[in-house]
Amino acid sequence: MPFTKINNKMVEAKIMPGQRVFSQRGSMLAYTGEVSFTPNNMGGQGGVMSMIGRRVANEDTPLMTVEGQGSVMFGHGGHNVQVIDLTGDTLYVEADRLLAFDGTLQQSTMFMGQQGGVMGIVRGQVTGQGLFTTKLDGHGSVAVMAHGGVFELPIGPGQPVHVDPQAYVAHRGQVTNKLSTALGWRDMVGRGSGEAFQLELSGHGVVYVQASEEKL
């Protein structure tokens, strides 16, 4: 079920019998109809490993299962909201930027080291981002949050994109990422992530970047 943008900071989801939506806890702003909200600490369809992953990373982002029949308005913290529609492909999104997503999507948790090796771990520890990223597969819609809006940058063969890790929101496509440093280790002490680190994404796809370095 697609999300409808009400404005830059709110989306609406139509809930029908037999369908469900997963949302970040505390993101429901209003609803109409007969709709229920049930805590889901298992992280949607990620199962036990999804929950363990978040516990290990101290990133427990509890979700609510939304079911019934009616309309629900979502938003959180006054952040800008971007709707991304998936048509059988895969989206990787920072867990704390995930506002809501269709229950038709398969969810799992990816350890950043899978794509970034040891530097993926360093990225999480030094830049303030988590070690685990939410992976969503299938057909459906996803609503993500960001500061100052979101813009899309295409990634093509031989045309990698470099992003400040704190401005990274999500990416899709056949993309690999690695953390590169612009300074030596001794020079990075006391530096912000944009001054010392860049997240390099290469391959073929799209990266979603927020128009701010502010963390959620």
Side-chain angles (χ1 to χ4, degrees):
M1 72 194 72
F3 292 99
T4 301
K5 289 190 71 172
I6 299 175
N7 55 41
N8 289 336
K9 300 181 180 182
M10 294 175 60
V11 294
E12 179 183 16
K14 298 289 188 181
I15 310 297
M16 301 298 292
Q19 299 178 335
R20 60 182 177 176
V21 167
F22 293 106
S23 66
Q24 185 176 126
R25 186 172 297 178
S27 64
M28 188 277 291
L29 300 176
Y31 72 91
T32 61
E34 298 297 324
V35 180
S36 65
F37 301 85
T38 306
N40 185 341
N41 289 320
M42 299 303 286
Q45 298 175 7
V48 175
M49 290 309 295
S50 174
M51 180 180 66
I52 292 175
R54 297 195 184 284
R55 296 290 186 183
V56 170
N58 194 26
E59 290 183 352
D60 188 21
T61 306
L63 298 176
M64 301 295 289
T65 301
V66 185
E67 299 175 292
Q69 184 170 6
S71 297
V72 184
M73 278 62 75
F74 296 106
H76 195 270
H79 302 307
N80 288 78
V81 178
Q82 176 82 9
V83 176
I84 302 172
D85 294 316
L86 298 182
T87 56
D89 48 338
T90 300
L91 178 73
Y92 297 91
V93 56
E94 291 290 342
D96 58 357
R97 300 183 187 276
L98 188 59
L99 178 67
F101 61 94
D102 277 337
T104 54
L105 295 171
Q106 295 292 322
Q107 183 200 9
S108 59
T109 301
M110 186 196 77
F111 178 56
M112 287 306 301
Q114 285 181 234
Q115 291 193 357
V118 174
M119 291 307 294
I121 302 174
V122 174
R123 171 191 164 201
Q125 292 294 328
V126 178
T127 67
Q129 285 189 302
L131 300 182
F132 293 85
T133 296
T134 299
K135 177 184 176 185
L136 298 169
D137 300 277
H139 293 77
S141 294
V142 184
V144 300
M145 298 180 290
H147 280 288
V150 174
F151 58 98
E152 302 178 19
L153 291 175
I155 304 167
Q159 297 179 320
V161 175
H162 296 81
V163 177
D164 183 321
Q166 291 184 2
Y168 168 84
V169 175
H171 73 268
R172 68 197 297 181
Q174 301 300 314
V175 176
T176 59
N177 71 75
K178 68 177 182 179
L179 189 73
S180 59
T181 59
L183 302 170
W185 284 102
R186 293 181 180 178
D187 296 327
M188 287 189 289
V189 177
R191 303 271 185 169
S193 67
E195 297 174 294
F197 296 93
Q198 291 87 43
L199 183 62
E200 179 182 315
L201 299 106
S202 58
H204 186 269
V206 173
V207 58
Y208 299 87
V209 183
Q210 71 172 13
S212 169
E213 296 179 357
E214 187 176 351
K215 301 176 186 178
L216 292 185

